[in-house]
Amino acid sequence: MATTVAAPTTNVHLSRWVDEMARMCKPDRVCWCDGSEDERDRLIGEAVSAGVLTPLDHSKRPGSYYSRSNPNDVARTEELTFVCTPTREEAGPTNNWMAPAEMYAKLRGLFDGAMTGRTMYVVPYIMGLPDSPFAKVGIELTDSVYVALNIRIMARMGSVALQRLGASDDFNRGLHSVADCDPSRRFIVHFPQDNTIWSVGSGYGGNALLNKKCLALRMASYYARNEGWLAEHMLLLEATSPEGEVRYLSAGFPSACGKTNLAMLVPPPAFDGWRIRTLGDDIVWLRIGEDGRLYAANPENGFFGVAPGTSTATNPNAMKMLEHDAIFTNVALTPDMDVWWEGMDGPAPERLTDWRGRPWQRGSAEPAAHPNSRFTVALDNNPALSPFVNDPKGVPISAILFGGRRSTTVPLVLESFNWTHGVYLAGTMGSETTAAKTGAVGVLRRDPMANLPFVGYDMGTYLQHWLEMGRRIPRPPRIFLVNWFRRGEDGKFLWPGFGDNMRALQWILDRCDGRVGARETPVGWTPRVSDLDLRDLPARPAAVEASLRFDVDEWREELRLQQEWLDHLGPTVPRALRLQHDLLEESLETARRVG
Ligand code: SAT
Ligand code: MN
């Protein structure tokens, strides 16, 4: 029987709901989290004694811990993620759907007694800055101390959220249990009408930290449409030129396509005087400001980034921020209790313990770290954090970038002709899948605005919302596609990426100010090689040329796939986007005839 500890709140809506959920889940204890340092130490102590966290060598990485998940639970499970709106049409063809009453009944069966023998942590949190009028309060009830500790890093957690909530009934009701971690009984379910999320059977970040993808994207996107704003799967960065001009860019990429690296970019030596600072690496909320510009804010308070591939060469700021107070999940362990992953600096150690806990030797065919292994750290750990991350009204953005992994077709950078064309390019964008979701890797799938798994309502209606937002923003940002992943005939990447992406960012910023030239293609504007600053670029000019290439035949095939995608989305696809498709098709035909 649950021994409900007196709630540190006089909010009856909250205490009643917690009691009701505890009666269903039957935890041995209910623990209200206040977010204090003492509590952190206590929870870490509990996690260490339960074997959930392992302390790393604190002389090397102070305050850092290691966690290994169930091998069946290492990524988001989109096939088990549902949006349960009253009608199927409202969820649309890209979300799994079940009638809310039926889903509640099914899940009650799974939650009934699921926390017996365990503690239910009551985790109050705020997405957004506590003093922002746009912040959202959520409460997650979870039987995972790992989840409680991760939310503590990823959001403003504890008493601050209860204070902000006061006596209000307006909070997201999140219920989470790892239960028996059986994929056949795993469901991540959103009930937007009830401001409720129930997640059972997984402890993995995106499935279990309900503040993150579930609230700050799926639920938020649903509310954003009704309220006239956008909740997007984007990084947010600040670029300062040598002349001291400060501008902001947001960029949407699918999971594990380099958002964290781009957000923390260090410009190459030839770009002396340029400075990039980070505001966020995964989620932005965008609103129209009083001056008619589009303002972006990161509602999170931490980074939950992909470890493999992170090194001093690819992301020195990330390596610095991981030096202390980080939680590492599913990376490999060194014999002296430090972490390692593929792509880290230097050669692999001779011996490691792999992410499953098995001995591993250098040269082994299998990776030591899971490809979707992750780190969790606070924003404040980032040595290049923009101070404007704490501005409650957000920052005005000059450009929005969208990108994916495309070995072919999409040039390094492509500027849209106008907002509608930009929405078309982003809404039909494709990307090769990664290990961040379960299922095959490297398969091309359409991923509108890199937000396919995170839009909590009908996709065609979402694209219409983007078009309407464009009409409402008096001074809209420009929209660009980028592709760091195009390959040559030898299968090698044509563009070096990472810090050298600064060269594309500079062109983008200069385009926003009308300061640099471009070449018009039937599908948008691209830089000519001479429009880019390529001083000291470690790539052959022919490779750069190839990375910028527009190819009529590749785009005819692309347009065909985009048409299929629009057909799949069905009748709610805005007519303006269908017309945009036809216009592009005609332009391509003309280009093909004229050569
Ligand atoms: O686990 S998360 O969903 O938060 C990371 C990602 O896949 O983008
Ligand atoms: Mn993400």
Side-chain angles (χ1 to χ4, degrees), residues 213 233 255 259 282 454:
K213 297 297 165 64
H233 189 213
S255 304
K259 284 201 296 302
D282 198 38
F454 310 121

Side-chain angles (χ1 to χ4, degrees), residues 63-138:
S64 298
Y65 293 84
Y66 176 64
S67 162
R68 195 175 280 140
S69 79
N70 187 318
N72 79 26
D73 190 28
V74 293
R76 280 182 296 101
T77 45
E78 294 180 10
E79 67 286 5
L80 305 172
T81 301
F82 284 73
V83 173
C84 293
T85 42
T87 65
R88 186 189 288 273
E89 288 66 37
E90 234 185 309
T94 60
N95 284 306
N96 299 309
W97 180 85
M98 194 185 282
E102 199 185 326
M103 183 57 100
Y104 273 126
K106 185 184 177 82
L107 295 184
R108 271 193 209 102
L110 297 176
F111 276 111
D112 187 11
M115 297 188 187
T116 303
R118 302 181 186 175
T119 300
M120 174 192 267
Y121 299 93
V122 183
V123 187
Y125 63 84
I126 307 179
M127 297 313 282
L129 288 160
D131 51 352
S132 160
F134 309 126
K136 300 252 178 253
V137 174

Side-chain angles (χ1 to χ4, degrees), residues 334-348:
T334 64
D336 55 354
M337 296 310 284
D338 198 8
V339 286
W340 192 84
W341 49 77
E342 277 68 26
M344 203 192 234
D345 305 284

